[in-house]
Amino acid sequence: MSEQVSTLTVTDNRTGKIYEIPVTDGTVRASAFRSIKTSDDDFGLMAYDPAFTNTASCRSAITFIDGDAGILRYRGYPIQELAEKSSFLEVAYLLLAGELPSADELSTWEDEITHHTLVHESIKKFTDGFHHDAHPMGMLVSTVGALSTFYPDAKRIDDPGLRRLQIVRLIAKITTLAAYSYRHSVGFPYAYPDNDLSYAGNFLNMMWKATEPRYEPDPNLEHALDVLFILHADHEQNCSANAMRAVGSSQADPFSAAAAAISALYGPLHGGANEQVLRMLAEIGSVENIPAFIAQVKDGKKKLMGFGHRVYKNYDPRARVIRQVADEVFKVTGTNPLLDLAMELERIALSDEYFVSRKLYPNVDFYTGIIYQAMGFPVEMFPVLFAIGRMPGWLAQWEEGLLDPEQKIARPRQLYVGYDQRPYTPMDERKSVEDSNIDPIAAQAAQAAPERPLR
C-alpha cells in the first residue's frame, strides 16, 4: 500500500506559532507534536488516549476491519469466503505467510503441525499439580508459559528457522495443553494426540476420548469447530494481540508472550463474553420474558450481552457465519433450547429503534456460547477455545512486530496527576486513617495537590 502524504496546519494559541505536521495514510505521528513547545525546556505536547481508542500503535498487513461497514478480512480475503472454503490450518498459514498455501505447502504445513502436538511428559506432572477445580484458562496460561523452559532455543528470536519452529510448536501444542486442562478438571486420564486426525478432529479426540480404541469425531462437529477457529483467528489490535506485541517487543520468547496474550484473553471483557450471553439467556428464561427484559435494558437496569462491539458499528460479519455453523451443529446435537430464545431476542432487538439507532448488532459472542454448550464444552472452556483459534493471529502479530524496523520496546507515556515534590514525613508525624470513617483511598485523593487532583 503506497503512502499518501499531506500536511496538517496547527496553530498553537499559547504562543501563536504555526506548525506543519505531515499526515500519512490518514494518521499523524504522535512524536511530531513533541516539537510544539511553549519554551525550550518544555517537554512538548503528548497525545492523551486512554485505552488507545484513537491511536495506531503499529503498521500491519495482517487483518483489515471496517467496523462501520461490517467488514473483516485476513490478508485481504473476506472472512466469509475463508470460513466457507478454507480449513483452519490453511488460514493459519495465510496469516503467518501472507499468502494462501499451494497444495504442497499446505500438506507440508499440516504435517508439521500434526507431528508437534505431543508435549513433554513432565507437562502432565505439571498439570497434575493444579487443584482439581482450577480454571482451565489459568492452567493454560501456566503451561504455555512453561513450554519456554522445555525449548530454550525459543529465545533465539532473530533466527527465522527457529522462529518458525516455535510457531509450529505453539499452534500444535496449544490443543494438547487445552485438552489436558479440561481432562484434569474432570479427573479423566489424558488422551494422546492422534496424528491421523485433522487439527479440529484431534482436539475433539483429546477432549472426549474415553475407553474406545480409537475416537472418531463427528464430521459435522469437526467442521463446525474448524470454522469457529477460523472466525477467531485474528482481530487486529485487540487487547490480547496488543499484549502479545508488547511483551514480544522486549524480545521475550514467543511462549512467554503467548502466555501474556492468553492472560489478557482470560479477562471477562475479552474472552468471557459468550459465557455472559449464556447467563443472560438463562436469566431471561423464556420467549415470553423477552419484552420485559428489553424494557429493563432500555432503563439501564440490565445489559444486553452479545450485542455491540468496540469496533463494529454494523452486523459483525463473523456472527452471520456462525448462524450457519449453528444449524450444522444442531443437526447432530439437537436444538439447544436457548437458540430459539436467542433468535427471538435478536429479532426483537433488531426491530427496535433504540438498539438500531445505537448500532447495537449481534457480535461473534452472541451465538458461540450456545454452539459450544451444545457440543458439550463447559463454560470454563469457552475462552480456552478462543485461545486455540487466536494463536496463529497472535503469532503473526508477534513476528510482524519483531520484523518492523520502526518498532521498539513498548513504553507508553503517561500523564502524571499525582503530588509535586513534598517533604518526607517522619513516622511519628503521620496521621492514620485506619481508625476513622474515611476510606484511605478517598483520604489520599482528598490530600492530593488541588491543582493536580488524583483521578
Side-chain angles (χ1 to χ4, degrees), residues 137-423:
M137 274 295 271
M139 288 189 273
L140 188 65
V141 169
S142 303
T143 50
V144 167
L147 286 180
S148 66
T149 65
F150 291 90
Y151 304 112
D153 58 352
K155 297 183 181 298
R156 296 167 57 187
I157 59 172
D158 293 330
D159 185 317
L162 288 175
R163 277 204 310 272
R164 178 186 171 84
L165 179 57
Q166 313 318 320
I167 287 170
V168 168
R169 284 169 170 166
L170 270 163
I171 294 173
K173 296 179 192 303
I174 190 172
T175 53
T176 309
L177 298 177
Y180 279 12
S181 69
Y182 165 74
R183 293 180 76 97
H184 174 76
S185 68
V186 294
F188 288 176
Y190 305 121
Y192 284 110
D194 184 339
N195 291 349
D196 292 330
L197 295 175
S198 71
Y199 188 83
N202 182 45
F203 176 62
L204 292 173
N205 157 66
M206 292 188 290
M207 282 287 297
W208 309 128
K209 184 178 180 182
T211 58
E212 66 271 40
R214 185 160 189 208
Y215 179 85
E216 296 290 345
D218 184 283
N220 288 311
L221 299 184
E222 184 178 3
H223 177 256
L225 188 59
D226 201 66
V227 171
L228 289 168
F229 286 160
I230 290 173
L231 298 180
H232 284 114
D234 195 57
H235 209 245
E236 202 224 33
Q237 301 307 309
N238 52 81
C239 178
S240 55
N242 185 54
M244 186 82 180
R245 279 182 175 262
V247 174
S249 74
S250 73
Q251 298 190 352
D253 67 84
F255 298 103
S256 299
I262 296 169
S263 297
L265 191 64
Y266 199 173
L269 295 183
H270 192 6
N274 45 20
E275 178 181 348
Q276 299 304 315
V277 171
L278 284 182
R279 295 186 187 281
M280 175 190 71
L281 294 174
E283 179 185 347
I284 295 173
S286 66
V287 171
E288 293 74 23
N289 296 333
I290 292 178
F293 179 80
I294 291 290
Q296 288 183 301
V297 171
K298 292 180 179 180
D299 290 340
K301 297 177 181 178
K302 298 287 185 181
K303 288 186 177 181
L304 186 59
M305 306 304 298
F307 276 68
H309 194 277
R310 174 79 167 266
V311 174
Y312 295 112
K313 305 305 175 188
N314 201 320
Y315 206 106
D316 186 335
R318 299 169 298 175
R320 296 187 187 279
V321 178
I322 284 175
R323 287 287 298 273
Q324 300 168 1
V325 173
D327 293 338
E328 192 174 335
V329 169
F330 294 136
K331 286 178 183 177
V332 178
T333 65
T335 302
N336 187 323
L338 294 180
L339 178 64
D340 293 336
L341 183 57
M343 292 178 66
E344 181 63 10
L345 179 59
E346 177 186 356
R347 187 193 68 78
I348 291 175
L350 293 185
S351 63
D352 192 312
E353 181 61 23
Y354 177 89
F355 300 103
V356 174
S357 64
R358 289 166 172 77
K359 298 183 178 180
L360 295 176
Y361 298 93
N363 59 42
V364 70
D365 298 307
F366 189 64
Y367 285 105
T368 52
I370 300 173
I371 296 171
Y372 288 149
Q373 186 182 66
M375 294 176 73
F377 293 105
V379 292
E380 293 81 9
M381 284 295 291
F382 291 178
V384 174
L385 297 168
F386 196 149
I388 294 172
R390 185 57 56 88
M391 184 57 73
W394 285 335
L395 290 165
Q397 298 283 349
W398 167 76
E399 187 167 44
E400 186 179 63
L402 285 179
L403 300 178
D404 185 346
E406 286 192 315
Q407 290 294 324
K408 301 182 177 73
I409 183 171
R411 210 310 188 171
R413 296 285 183 176
Q414 67 168 20
L415 181 61
Y416 179 70
V417 294
Y419 290 105
D420 287 327
Q421 182 174 329
R422 51 181 177 159

